[in-house]
Amino acid sequence: GNYVEVHLADGRKPLMRAVLGALESDLAGKGFVRTHRSWLVNAGRMTGLKPEGSGDWTVELGALEAPLSRRFPDALARLREG
């Protein structure tokens, strides 16, 4: 729905009332990348990137793993470059 769960570096997971698309627009200039229809990640926190087959990837963010869908090729390019 209109809720976003935010995973913070200290382990907290606050829930905020927002639309992910609007949050994406607000955070785009701050290093965040949309990797999946349900995920937005901070590229600066990425610790690894591993292929999952069929064009999909997993973005490693320390202990947290986020999906990177093949439908977001620009996100893959951005994460690989930086």
Side-chain angles (χ1 to χ4, degrees), residues 6-8 20 23-35 39-45 61 75 78-79:
V6 180
H7 293 254
L8 300 175
L20 192 57
L23 197 56
E24 177 184 9
S25 296
D26 292 345
L27 296 174
K30 295 177 175 63
F32 284 78
V33 180
R34 183 80 172 258
T35 62
W39 283 83
L40 190 62
V41 302
N42 182 343
R45 292 279 184 176
L61 303 155
R78 187 164 167 205
L79 292 172

Side-chain angles (χ1 to χ4, degrees), residues 1-71:
N2 294 333
Y3 288 90
V4 176
E5 183 178 59
V6 180
H7 293 254
L8 300 175
D10 64 6
R12 291 179 298 143
K13 296 183 210 172
L15 194 62
M16 53 187 294
R17 186 166 171 78
V19 177
L20 192 57
L23 197 56
E24 177 184 9
S25 296
D26 292 345
L27 296 174
K30 295 177 175 63
F32 284 78
V33 180
R34 183 80 172 258
T35 62
H36 185 272
R37 67 183 183 94
S38 303
W39 283 83
L40 190 62
V41 302
N42 182 343
R45 292 279 184 176
M46 186 181 78
T47 57
L49 189 61
K50 64 182 179 183
E52 294 298 331
S54 71
D56 291 333
W57 293 74
T58 295
V59 180
E60 297 171 332
L61 303 155
L64 180 66
E65 293 186 340
L68 172 53
S69 171
R70 64 184 169 273
R71 296 183 182 172

